[in-house]
Amino acid sequence: MNDDSENSIPGARGRHSRGQINIQADMTSETKTGMTRREREKQAYRERERQAHIDEILTAAEASFLEHGFHNATMEDIARRADFAVGSIYTFFKNKEDLVNNVLLRIANLRLKDVEENVMPVINKPWDAIRALTCAWYSEHINHGDFIRISRAMRMSAGHGGGIDDIKNNPPPEDIRRAVDKYHEYVMRVFDNAKRLRAVKEMPTHNLMLVFDGIAHAYVFHKRASGNVPNVQTAVSDLLEIYRTILTPGKEC
């Protein structure tokens, strides 16, 4: 008879073996990083806390720029809104222009996350993808469109007109450019796939993107001018009806 107690209890050896593997994995991880699990947890907590502080400052900065404009907004006002000391803000951001760029980066990343989570999973259902894309576009405009316009005005007031030569000589920060490029890549994939599945008219993908973007901007301009800016659900329904009328194969505008 085998006296090995592990063998006398079904599954005990497996549990014990897995425990050894987990302990060994922890030790290996600690060897690689030079940190214990508790130290890693503390580091992760500090990083979450740091990111929360950054988000609070960026939210305050966006509100201050919207209310006062770039030139009249002050670091003191931003600090007051975020409930931070002015000096603490400078530990995260160099100046107001750095704040503007980081607010824009956060907006770009939020839009990108929205597209990755809600558009790309339904890319093989073209009109579901276009609906989700419309929702992402309009939500960004409602929540951050005014700030985006202010940042463009700030760029122009600094002598950057926004033309091709200006973009070449004064490009946006690399991380913003990457986020914007990735968004456009996703939009192109949506309309390429819609064409492949014959859900939209056969035309150059860039033209489809221009139709999408142009109609959305025209819709918002008209609604703002009339003083009646609809909620996201109403706007998406309105825009989808227009897109279907214009882009569905066989339909005339």
Side-chain angles (χ1 to χ4, degrees):
M1 179 178 177
N2 192 333
D3 291 330
D4 189 340
S5 60
E6 285 186 349
N7 286 344
S8 66
I9 304 174
R13 179 179 297 276
R15 287 195 298 274
H16 182 62
S17 300
R18 285 195 294 272
Q20 285 183 322
I21 291 170
N22 289 339
I23 292 169
Q24 188 172 4
D26 286 344
M27 292 175 64
T28 302
S29 177
E30 288 174 16
T31 301
K32 288 181 179 179
T33 63
M35 299 172 64
T36 65
R37 177 183 293 179
R38 178 165 297 194
E39 287 171 335
R40 290 198 305 274
E41 289 173 350
K42 286 183 178 179
Q43 184 184 55
Y45 172 79
R46 285 195 296 268
E47 180 56 32
R48 288 194 300 271
E49 193 173 51
R50 176 179 176 277
Q51 189 57 54
H53 291 334
I54 289 173
D55 285 339
E56 289 166 2
I57 294 169
L58 292 178
T59 298
E62 184 172 359
S64 185
F65 290 136
L66 282 172
E67 183 174 340
H68 301 296
F70 174 74
H71 295 294
N72 293 325
T74 64
M75 295 298 264
E76 288 76 13
D77 181 60
I78 293 168
R80 179 185 59 78
R81 291 170 185 264
D83 197 22
F84 275 81
V86 175
S88 297
I89 293 181
Y90 284 107
T91 65
F92 296 103
F93 304 102
K94 294 181 291 186
N95 48 39
K96 286 198 294 184
E97 186 172 356
D98 190 27
L99 276 168
V100 169
N101 285 333
N102 276 277
V103 173
L104 287 171
L105 177 61
R106 183 172 70 161
I107 293 169
N109 283 334
L110 285 171
R111 178 177 66 175
L112 198 58
K113 184 172 184 281
D114 192 350
V115 171
E116 287 174 341
E117 292 181 354
N118 299 308
V119 178
M120 303 315 290
V122 294
I123 192 171
N124 287 323
K125 298 178 179 179
W127 282 105
D128 286 352
I130 294 172
R131 175 184 291 277
L133 187 62
T134 304
C135 185
W137 187 98
Y138 191 77
S139 295
E140 179 196 87
H141 180 86
I142 289 297
N143 294 322
H144 305 289
D146 289 335
F147 178 81
I148 292 171
R149 282 190 292 277
I150 284 176
S151 69
R152 287 173 181 162
M154 180 200 79
R155 185 177 176 85
M156 293 179 71
S157 71
H160 306 321
I164 296 298
D165 290 338
D166 177 63
I167 291 171
K168 289 179 181 177
N169 297 328
N170 303 281
E174 179 67 19
D175 43 8
I176 296 177
R177 188 187 63 78
R178 281 198 302 268
V180 171
D181 287 349
K182 189 66 177 178
Y183 168 78
H184 287 136
E185 177 190 324
Y186 284 145
V187 176
M188 185 172 290
R189 284 173 60 187
V190 167
F191 284 107
D192 275 340
N193 204 57
K195 280 199 305 180
R196 181 181 66 82
L197 295 173
R198 298 182 180 179
V200 297
K201 291 180 178 177
E202 182 63 38
M203 64 172 70
T205 302
H206 280 94
N207 289 0
L208 290 168
M209 293 168 66
L210 284 171
V211 170
F212 173 84
D213 206 48
I215 288 173
H217 276 99
Y219 175 89
V220 169
F221 178 82
H222 172 74
K223 292 298 183 181
R224 280 185 175 275
S226 68
N228 179 29
V229 180
N231 61 29
V232 174
Q233 184 176 356
T234 299
V236 170
S237 295
D238 290 347
L239 287 166
L240 256 292
E241 184 177 351
I242 298 169
Y243 292 144
R244 284 184 181 276
T245 299
I246 294 174
L247 295 179
T248 301
K251 284 194 175 183
E252 297 297 328
C253 298

